[in-house]
Amino acid sequence: MCGIVGYIGKHKAYDVLVKGLHRLEYRGYDSAGIALLKDDGTLNVYKAKGKVANLEASLSGKDVEGTLGIAHTRWATHGEPNDMNAHPQVSQSRSLAIVHNGTIENYNVLKEALVQHGYTFTSETDTEVLVQLIEYVKQENRCSLFDAVREALLQVVGAYAIAVVEKDNPDTLIVARKSSPLVIGIGQDETFIASDATPIVEYTNQVIYLKDDEIAVISRKAAIQILSLENNLPSQLNIQTLRLSVEQLEKGGYDTFMQKEIFEQPSTLCDCLRGRIVDGGERVVLSGVIENKERFLHAERIIFVACGSSWHAALIGKRAMQEMCQLPVEVEYASEFRYGNPYITDKDIVIAISQSGETADTLAAIQLAKSKGAFVYGVCNVVGASIPRNTDSGTYIHVGPEIGVASTKAFTGQVTVLLMLALCAGEIRGTVRPDTIKEIASALLRMPDMLTEVLKLDPVVSELAKIFTYAHNFLYLGRGYNYPTALEGALKLKEISYIHAEGYPAAEMKHGPIALIDQEMPTVIIAPKDSLHDKIVSNIQQVKSRGGLVIAITNKGDSAIARLANYCLEIPDVPECLTPIVASVPLQLLAYYIAINKGRNVDQPRNLAKSVTVE
Ligand code: G6P
């Protein structure tokens, strides 16, 4: 939530910053702002409500010179989205400007103290409190900007990634982090900072991921000094090489990122599977599991923690792990787990699933699980993010950057990794038969082709979407492995089209949602030929006999369902545990086309953000 970007070097900062803001817009788009510092000490700060494009439009004809600058795209936490609350926030004397991603929890106490010292505030943000505090400390202690930022941060409780500039200090940029991500890009006589590597990658592939409780002083000649916030001792510069290309961050001929990401799934699944299914499709090898064989062998319980679509993937993982590892498995919303005083032992394996690797609740759940002695395993997409750095081991899903706010290829990648995890751990535990491993592993290898097949439904789904674009409510039903698919299908629709949609276990429908069924409310039923096929046929009958309209996701040639459903979308036959992967693709397309027909911005739906770094 919120994206920050900064530049210091020999080029015009504005161009780098605005391009960077566009790349970070997935993190929030309530407002955007920029502060530019010119060599003569002029500090220009510009802000605009809404998207980065609004900021750009408002700057035509304005002075945007300067080779040092910071910028921000906001997902509002404190104060409504307007120009006053937009970042950068400036100090009372207007000599300091700051951008901030995170929340300052004790801002009220700090604010009251500053008011006593004569400070007045123009915004409702916690960030303004921080910049005023830095100014106050600097004036009181007559110290350097670095010392003032450090001293102020020691008084702060909360989460932050910040970048600060000072009017009379055009050669210095100060950054710091605690629980919110910050990457430093090292160029030739220039340095970039950003919430993630996407604004940096076209200038350099040499980066440093700032750690929690670190502060860095970056000077114009690309000199970077990183120190511990706590004891002021220098940290080693751990320079890493990015494996990210600019092409991965562009739409590549598609209308939207979401559409690109849906259609990329055959190739992203290839990347996800690469090197992990060995011996001609007979075995699954995940290094994170193999290296921790003993942990998986002696585990007594698995607990998944996740949020959003990652939580839905966890529900599928639960079923697979239960079946293949013969272990009790629980799935928790990270936000509930962290405050639920959970009973955890050192025989538990906590698996944290997160596309971004930055979700604040999931990170906090990890810290809690670790403090209670659990072994913590991460399943993430963004390489080098906070969650993979804070877990004991893990597996990347390797589906490339996901930019559309609604998760698509990350979800299918997560499910794929969780099935591989269940097979790999099950083999270690001796709880899954070799022929089962072979059957599922070789079917996994065929999944990219299966998804290519499913994507041929695109024109059919696009037509179907026209019929249902103006429905006000949708019900999604599924059973077994596809109950979570129903939840995910409903979430996709509601987040990008703003149509109310509810996912439900098909048999539970008769305990409530059945009362809603009428001709106005379509029911999407995921009904492959699996072990619960006969049961779901009855559930379809229950909907139909109450006058409901049914869109069924079925296997080819399923005449029992074809006779009942109003519309069928046919998916290829795959082993039961893999059906969520093939079934979720037509649901992604259905949500996509309905949202497009309604004129929604599918990549940046209202009120949402891709990376939720606040509680
Ligand atoms: C946000 C995103 C969702 C995502 C969820 C969890 O709500 O919009 O797409 O599923 O966060 O994010 P994570 O990065 O932890 O998977």
Side-chain angles (χ1 to χ4, degrees), residues 307-310 353-357 359 405-407 414 495 609-610 612:
C307 305
S309 294
S310 301
I353 309 175
S354 173
Q355 186 286 129
S356 63
T359 303
V405 163
S407 186
Q414 288 166 339
E495 58 188 350
K610 181 117 194 105
V612 183

Side-chain angles (χ1 to χ4, degrees), residues 276 283-299 302 321 325 349 351 375-379 392-396 417-429:
R276 290 166 168 173
R283 287 184 59 229
V284 177
V285 175
L286 295 183
S287 54
V289 177
I290 303 293
E291 284 157 15
N292 296 285
K293 234 175 168 166
E294 294 299 309
R295 284 286 192 168
F296 282 89
L297 191 59
H298 301 297
I302 306 276
M321 294 292 279
C325 299
I349 297 181
I351 303 180
F375 177 72
V376 182
Y377 199 91
V379 174
D392 296 309
S393 185
T395 301
Y396 283 113
V417 162
L418 293 177
L419 293 170
M420 290 195 282
L421 190 63
L423 290 169
C424 184
E427 189 190 13
I428 289 171
R429 294 173 60 82

Side-chain angles (χ1 to χ4, degrees), residues 1 26 305-312 353-360 362-363 379-382 387 402 404-408 410-411 414 488 491-492 495 605 608-612:
M1 308 224 122
Y26 74 88
V305 291
C307 305
S309 294
S310 301
W311 187 81
H312 295 156
I353 309 175
S354 173
Q355 186 286 129
S356 63
E358 299 293 348
T359 303
T362 311
L363 254 172
V379 174
C380 295
N381 188 32
V382 178
I387 292 176
E402 189 178 67
V405 163
S407 186
T408 51
F411 175 74
Q414 288 166 339
E488 177 61 8
L491 178 65
K492 284 301 83 115
E495 58 188 350
L608 296 175
K610 181 117 194 105
S611 184
V612 183

